[in-house]
Amino acid sequence: MIPWRAYVALALAQVLVGSLVVTAKLMTAALPVFLASALRSIVGLAILLPLLLWREGRLPRVRRRDGWYLFWIAFAGMFLFSVFLLYGLRWTTAVEGGIITSASPAVLGLIAWGWMGERLGPVQAAGIAFTVVGLVALNLPGLAAGERGSLPWLGNLLIVGVAITEALFSALGKQVSRALSPLAIATYVTAWGLAMFAPFALWEALHFDFSAAPWQAWVPVVYYGLFVGAGAFLLWYWGLARVPAGTAAVFLGLMPISAVALSVAVLGERLQWSHLAGAAGVLAGIACITLLPEPPRSPRGP
């Protein structure tokens, strides 16, 4: 029997994740980076914490080792992720940002090779190479022409940092996924992220004129915390528990498609040849890494 509900949940999760690029672009237009990040963390935590207490009855106990992993997951996957994303989108377009963030599977493959000691098979190595070619195409003089950000090379470099931190989020999350439920991990990581944003957010709040911000500026904050921060995470892990991991990985390709489509539809950005070339390279990399069979890997020897 085809698990249609799981497929719908996985697809919707990646569409929501793709929308974070547009949401972040809208937030940075009116709000300081750390203040916006702290507020969306508050919204996410207001959803996740009651849900966790309802589903599990209490806050799960966390061993010291797992607590450190949760700290680093929050530092990489929330704090640095938000800083790189929100500042990067001030200098590059949402279309280019959406394409670059989809490179995280290739980055995760490099982390698995360099940090976890896994061997890179030829298919996986080809996927990483395709991804690199796609990222270069986005910034190649002569090809990357037309409507771009005010400082695209710096913005795109910061968005590469987003792909790295997202890959670290996945790699570190594997270390605690057996000890805690996805809901508990999301709640603790969001709480840690809020604690990291708070000092900088308070400083920005003291120097920010809240009365000057239109009401439309707060909509992306609520949307980010509610749908991207809490909703996408829970939908993804609900679907992942009901289908094989290899099947779920196919849906990762929806993220860049969602980001680019929403950037064009909502922000009015236009597609360039560099976007098409970059997207083709990155999507080919995702296909190699997630769809094509790879021989079993063994740890690297001396």
Side-chain angles (χ1 to χ4, degrees), residues 118-176:
E118 295 185 3
R119 291 187 182 276
L120 279 181
V123 174
Q124 192 175 31
I128 293 172
F130 275 123
T131 303
V132 172
V133 170
L135 297 181
V136 170
L138 284 175
N139 299 279
L140 193 64
L143 184 61
E147 183 180 338
R148 306 198 71 199
S150 58
L151 202 58
W153 69 268
L154 179 57
N156 288 344
L157 183 62
L158 289 173
I159 301 298
V160 170
V162 172
I164 294 173
T165 56
E166 188 177 9
L168 286 172
F169 180 88
S170 299
L172 292 170
K174 291 182 180 180
Q175 308 300 321
V176 293

Side-chain angles (χ1 to χ4, degrees), residues 224-246:
Y224 197 136
L226 182 60
F227 292 101
V228 182
F233 194 102
L234 296 177
L235 282 169
W236 180 257
Y237 277 95
W238 186 88
L240 188 62
R242 289 160 174 79
V243 300

